[in-house]
Amino acid sequence: MELNKELLEKFKDSESRLVAVTKYLEKDDTLEVIENLEQDYLDILEWFWENRIEVLKEKNLDREKVHFIWNIQSKQIKDIIKYASVVHSIDDIKHLRKFEDICAKQWNWIQVFIQINVDDTKEGWIKPEKIPDFLDIIWEMENVSLIWFSAIWKADCTREEKEAEFDLLIELRNKYLQNWFVSAGTSKDYEIALEKWVDIIRIGTKLYN
């Protein structure tokens, strides 16, 4: 599968890192993408995005290279831990505690991003004012470690609105822990994310020619 080298070179010229979205690829195509990216672009690579448990089981990739980014169901947490090492979509304290409990029983670990709602027109996810509640709980955990923030944002917005969302997310990161990471951006808005120095950007359709 041919990769978008122009896009990848833009990452090389930045401080941002790439999570390659492989969730829609067949297993053989996923393995080819992994091999090509590891061979030529390891310095910008933050591994691979999957979001379906049944596909994770089928692909059975190296756990430490898999990021899970999707709505979490409590019954899936055990499998998420088995097949992924990073979760970008934590927005429920009950789920957080279950990750810790299962990891503790398995002598395992998981890294997480808590998912912030930077769109004040939407309900759900973690409102900025609730961030300290999640941090207080995570700091007490031994098997769940925080990487930092990911975001839910407006599906359709102007460039100015998108810039404001990225700015808010980075401002929140800087308010609580300056040296940690922000995960945001997609194929649709990755160029703005690069301009805003977003740490980790998730790219799918634009990555493949």
Side-chain angles (χ1 to χ4, degrees):
M1 176 169 288
E2 186 178 355
L3 299 175
N4 183 341
K5 293 184 179 180
E6 180 181 353
L7 178 149
L8 291 166
E9 290 302 319
K10 289 179 180 178
F11 272 82
K12 279 194 168 185
D13 292 334
S14 76
E15 296 296 323
S16 300
R17 292 178 65 82
L18 166 73
V19 169
V21 180
T22 54
K23 61 182 181 178
Y24 297 123
L25 302 183
E26 298 295 330
K27 181 175 181 179
D28 288 346
D29 288 335
T30 298
L31 293 175
E32 181 182 350
V33 167
I34 290 172
E35 180 180 0
N36 291 339
L37 285 173
E38 288 185 337
Q39 178 177 324
D40 298 324
Y41 297 97
L42 189 60
D43 55 328
I44 64 167
L45 187 60
E46 195 65 31
W47 306 128
F48 307 97
W49 171 2
E50 295 285 341
N51 71 342
R52 291 172 291 172
I53 296 299
E54 64 275 14
V55 176
L56 279 170
K57 291 179 178 179
E58 177 190 352
K59 291 183 179 180
N60 196 27
L61 305 174
D62 181 346
R63 174 183 184 264
E64 295 193 16
K65 298 179 181 179
V66 176
H67 291 223
F68 183 89
I69 313 176
W70 200 244
N71 295 331
I72 296 170
Q73 298 180 36
S74 182
K75 65 183 180 180
Q76 296 178 330
I77 289 176
K78 187 174 182 179
D79 284 327
I80 293 172
I81 293 168
K82 181 176 181 180
Y83 293 102
S85 61
V86 180
V87 179
H88 287 241
S89 44
I90 294 288
D91 61 4
D92 187 308
I93 287 175
K94 291 181 180 178
H95 289 163
L96 196 56
R97 293 191 188 282
K98 188 163 185 178
F99 272 104
E100 171 68 12
D101 182 57
I102 293 175
C103 283
K105 291 176 179 176
Q106 296 180 352
W107 292 82
N108 209 339
W109 54 274
I110 197 85
Q111 295 179 307
V112 301
F113 288 83
I114 58 175
Q115 188 164 248
I116 309 302
N117 187 344
V118 295
D119 177 3
D120 57 13
T121 68
K122 287 183 178 180
E123 294 298 323
W125 302 289
I126 302 172
K127 299 292 186 181
E129 62 269 19
K130 296 294 185 181
I131 291 172
D133 296 338
F134 278 78
L135 297 184
D136 287 344
I137 291 169
I138 292 175
W139 299 149
E140 296 177 356
M141 293 182 170
E142 296 182 358
N143 302 281
V144 174
S145 58
L146 180 67
I147 300 178
W148 210 222
F149 292 159
S150 62
I152 290 296
W153 48 80
K154 294 178 182 177
D156 297 305
C157 61
T158 65
R159 179 185 177 91
E160 290 72 21
E161 288 174 323
K162 180 59 61 179
E163 289 179 345
E165 289 179 355
F166 288 149
D167 286 341
L168 174 58
L169 195 60
I170 292 168
E171 177 185 334
L172 290 169
R173 185 271 309 277
N174 293 341
K175 177 180 179 180
Y176 291 101
L177 280 175
Q178 293 187 9
N179 295 325
W180 294 35
F181 301 109
V182 166
S183 168
T186 65
S187 290
K188 186 176 180 180
D189 52 35
Y190 79 91
E191 290 181 301
I192 302 174
L194 286 171
E195 292 172 12
K196 290 294 181 179
W197 299 86
V198 171
D199 301 290
I200 297 172
I201 306 173
R202 297 81 63 99
I203 307 292
T205 55
K206 289 282 181 70
L207 180 59
Y208 311 112
N209 288 329

